[in-house]
Amino acid sequence: MLKYQAIAEDLRQKITQGTYQPDDQLPLTSELEKIYHASKMTIKRALDHLESEGLIVKRRGSGTFVKGLAMNDLDKLIRHSRSQLFGMSKVYAGHAVTSKVRVFEIVTAPKEVKTQLRLNHETFVYRIVRVRLLDGTPFSLETSYMPIFLIPNLRRQHAEQSIFSYIRDSLHLKIQSAHRIVRVRGANSQESAELHIASDSPVAVVQETYFLASGIPFNYSVTTHEPKHFALETVIID
Amino acid sequence: MLKYQAIAEDLRQKITQGTYQPDDQLPLTSELEKIYHASKMTIKRALDHLESEGLIVKRRGSGTFVKGLAMNDLDKLIRHSRSQLFGMSKVYAGHAVTSKVRVFEIVTAPKEVKTQLRLNHETFVYRIVRVRLLDGTPFSLETSYMPIFLIPNLRRQHAEQSIFSYIRDSLHLKIQSAHRIVRVRGANSQESAELHIASDSPVAVVQETYFLASGIPFNYSVTTHEPKHFALETVIID
DNA sequence: GAGTGGTCTAGACCACTAT
DNA sequence: TAGTGGTCTAGACCACTCT
């Protein structure tokens, strides 16, 4: 683990454990330099991370302070910021997230998929449709496309567990970033049936394109979320 | 303007103007150092910004590349990343964003508002309800609360224009960050009337708390968005 | 092995806040 | 005016990719 990450992690813990409480002032950067035997830039970087997670506020001329939120909210921010690029599995720690695979097939990439994944020629892609459940209750319906030449040997069994784990742990590929668009509309008949909601009931539609560290998009997915459990939290800085 | 911002801005332009095209490799960091007479760290910082906007991809050992997206998408990313903390006004450049003020009053802060704005005692807050229109068509209904002791002398006229402009330009306060939660539900009767949609039509509900550079929350708002024009885009890194 | 970007440092100097 | 965090530098060393 990198030094600035370790420092951020340590401060994060001290905030959740109450060593530093909401509205408390953190030690001065000059003091943090001594505490962690790090340079000014490294300390700044660690603090920048915590700031982008919404945990602290820096005031030039005054000091650095824990954001004045309920501990509950601070906890939520931490859990949330760690799960940005991963499945829902981490957000719902303590709950069982499972999947029912409805479709697992290989097709030639449809037009929208070709565009999103920047495929110029006819290309075979997995088409995977899954219902995701939280403690047995369905909360989302996901349709996902991945080129087979990028993600070889994917099996139905992986889709039942975590596709991302397979990509990271078995293929040793790094997921670097994602573009996400959230929209709203009424549920269609399949969605209402799978998510146990009235037809035309409001749903959140999340369209995502995931990129590998190489910059290549490898996954295009459209996920429909049942309204009751859907909540997308973000912290905006600057 | 800071050096790393100027460098980022210059590269951003070169990307939109096509000097560097999608999938092109940018000059090496060592070359950028010479071009901009800047140190490695400063170049890195500029590139980090562009990366967090989703415009470029860095590959250790290989180089830095423009993300392989349609120019159209790159443009969208740029416009979007600049408008994170501002009103919708900038996203819809070229279109007229106007407001109709439905309520402009001062009330004692309701419970939820007291919680979100961390008010311990009875406190007077503005309660402002606005319909926002794009080229004359309503797209959102916003209810906004701000303590009068933080934002003095706010007038109905400011709410008809831009409240944030008043805060920044007249009060000289800096808006530093915001926490945002997006949810989905059916429209109530007021929303359906104001937004010209069927009752129970799906709407996006965006709940936001804005913070000043001092770390103090000064604005709590709940905005209901008509589904057709609502699209919230995000880039997730790391 | 040659070449890429990443981390970290020590220190100069700047911008802002408080008193 | 003293003290805070911010920017920027020059350079050492590290991690990764490609051949």
Side-chain angles (χ1 to χ4, degrees):
Chain A
M1 180 179 263
L2 299 172
K3 194 162 183 175
Y4 79 91
Q5 289 175 334
I7 296 170
E9 176 62 25
D10 189 64
L11 290 170
R12 207 180 278 119
Q13 277 192 23
K14 290 205 163 87
I15 290 171
T16 45
Q17 290 169 1
T19 311
Y20 304 128
Q21 306 214 345
D23 285 321
D24 273 5
Q25 179 165 12
L26 291 188
L28 305 180
T29 39
S30 56
E31 289 165 6
L32 291 172
E33 288 173 33
K34 286 170 202 153
I35 294 173
Y36 294 106
H37 304 287
S39 73
K40 194 171 178 178
M41 286 296 289
T42 303
I43 296 296
K44 182 185 182 306
R45 217 169 158 188
L47 294 178
D48 281 346
H49 258 248
L50 298 179
E51 187 180 33
S52 78
E53 291 170 6
L55 288 175
I56 63 169
V57 182
K58 290 183 285 180
R59 286 184 239 165
R60 194 192 302 218
S62 306
T64 304
F65 302 81
V66 178
K67 231 179 203 175
L69 302 168
M71 286 302 281
N72 206 345
D73 287 334
L74 290 174
D75 264 6
K76 244 200 293 185
L77 282 175
I78 289 170
R79 276 184 294 122
H80 175 260
S81 67
R82 286 195 183 162
S83 65
Q84 288 275 58
L85 264 189
F86 308 96
M88 290 287 161
S89 357
K90 299 220 174 169
V91 189
Y92 297 114
H95 294 270
V97 176
T98 53
S99 300
K100 283 187 190 164
V101 179
R102 294 295 189 228
V103 176
F104 188 95
E105 62 182 5
I106 292 178
V107 299
T108 56
K111 200 180 164 204
E112 172 69 3
V113 176
K114 281 179 71 174
T115 306
Q116 293 291 338
L117 298 181
R118 297 162 39 207
L119 305 169
N120 295 318
H121 312 291
E122 294 262 299
T123 310
F124 288 115
V125 296
Y126 303 99
R127 175 170 174 273
I128 301 168
V129 180
R130 303 191 290 179
V131 181
R132 313 219 67 191
L133 308 98
L134 178 63
D135 293 332
T137 307
F139 68 90
S140 77
L141 177 65
E142 171 195 282
T143 303
S144 190
Y145 298 89
M146 285 170 279
I148 62 171
F149 75 88
L150 282 175
I151 315 292
N153 302 317
L154 186 68
R155 302 278 174 259
R156 190 183 189 100
Q157 177 200 338
H158 301 126
E160 282 163 354
Q161 316 290 321
S162 167
I163 294 175
F164 281 20
S165 296
Y166 172 71
I167 292 171
R168 272 204 310 274
D169 304 338
S170 300
L171 298 181
H172 303 291
L173 294 172
K174 274 193 194 148
I175 301 168
Q176 200 250 2
S177 66
H179 293 199
R180 175 191 283 163
I181 304 180
V182 182
R183 293 195 178 83
V184 183
R185 60 166 168 72
N188 63 30
S189 56
Q190 187 197 6
E191 289 156 359
S192 61
E194 291 285 17
L195 299 176
H196 302 177
I197 53 180
S199 75
D200 275 332
S201 168
V203 291
V205 181
V206 180
Q207 173 188 324
E208 288 164 315
T209 306
Y210 286 87
F211 296 79
L212 296 172
S214 59
I216 296 174
F218 73 98
N219 182 337
Y220 172 66
S221 70
V222 178
T223 308
T224 308
H225 290 261
E226 170 274 328
K228 272 214 180 95
H229 295 91
F230 178 79
L232 199 149
E233 311 194 15
T234 333
V235 176
I236 308 164
I237 301 283
D238 239 340
Chain B
M1 181 180 265
L2 298 172
K3 196 162 184 177
Y4 80 91
Q5 289 174 336
I7 296 171
E9 176 61 25
D10 189 63
L11 290 170
R12 206 180 280 121
Q13 277 193 23
K14 290 204 163 87
I15 290 171
T16 45
Q17 291 170 1
T19 310
Y20 304 128
Q21 306 214 342
D23 284 321
D24 274 4
Q25 179 166 11
L26 291 188
L28 305 179
T29 38
S30 56
E31 288 166 7
L32 291 173
E33 289 173 33
K34 286 169 203 156
I35 294 173
Y36 293 108
H37 305 286
S39 73
K40 194 173 179 177
M41 287 296 289
T42 304
I43 296 295
K44 183 185 182 305
R45 216 168 159 190
L47 294 178
D48 282 347
H49 257 247
L50 298 179
E51 187 180 33
S52 77
E53 291 169 6
L55 288 174
I56 64 170
V57 182
K58 290 183 285 181
R59 287 184 239 165
R60 194 195 294 221
S62 305
T64 304
F65 302 81
V66 178
K67 230 178 204 173
L69 301 168
M71 286 303 281
N72 206 343
D73 287 334
L74 290 175
D75 264 6
K76 244 200 294 185
L77 281 176
I78 290 169
R79 275 185 293 122
H80 175 261
S81 68
R82 286 194 184 162
S83 64
Q84 288 276 57
L85 263 190
F86 308 96
M88 290 287 159
S89 356
K90 298 219 175 170
V91 189
Y92 298 113
H95 293 270
V97 176
T98 53
S99 301
K100 284 186 190 163
V101 178
R102 294 295 188 227
V103 176
F104 188 94
E105 60 181 6
I106 292 178
V107 298
T108 55
K111 200 179 165 205
E112 172 71 1
V113 176
K114 280 181 70 175
T115 306
Q116 293 290 338
L117 298 182
R118 295 161 42 206
L119 305 169
N120 295 317
H121 312 290
E122 293 263 300
T123 310
F124 287 115
V125 296
Y126 303 99
R127 175 171 173 271
I128 301 168
V129 179
R130 301 191 291 177
V131 181
R132 313 218 66 189
L133 308 98
L134 178 64
D135 292 334
T137 308
F139 68 91
S140 76
L141 178 63
E142 172 196 282
T143 304
S144 189
Y145 298 90
M146 285 170 280
I148 62 170
F149 74 88
L150 282 174
I151 315 292
N153 302 318
L154 186 68
R155 301 279 174 260
R156 190 183 188 100
Q157 176 199 343
H158 300 125
E160 283 163 356
Q161 317 289 320
S162 167
I163 294 174
F164 281 20
S165 297
Y166 172 70
I167 291 171
R168 272 203 311 273
D169 305 336
S170 300
L171 298 182
H172 303 292
L173 295 172
K174 275 192 193 151
I175 302 169
Q176 199 251 2
S177 67
H179 293 198
R180 175 191 283 164
I181 305 181
V182 182
R183 294 196 178 82
V184 182
R185 60 167 168 74
N188 62 30
S189 56
Q190 188 197 5
E191 288 156 359
S192 61
E194 292 284 17
L195 300 175
H196 301 177
I197 54 180
S199 76
D200 273 332
S201 168
V203 291
V205 181
V206 181
Q207 173 188 324
E208 289 164 316
T209 306
Y210 286 87
F211 295 79
L212 295 172
S214 59
I216 296 174
F218 74 96
N219 182 338
Y220 172 67
S221 70
V222 179
T223 308
T224 308
H225 292 261
E226 171 274 328
K228 271 213 180 98
H229 295 91
F230 178 78
L232 199 150
E233 312 194 15
T234 333
V235 176
I236 308 164
I237 300 283
D238 235 343

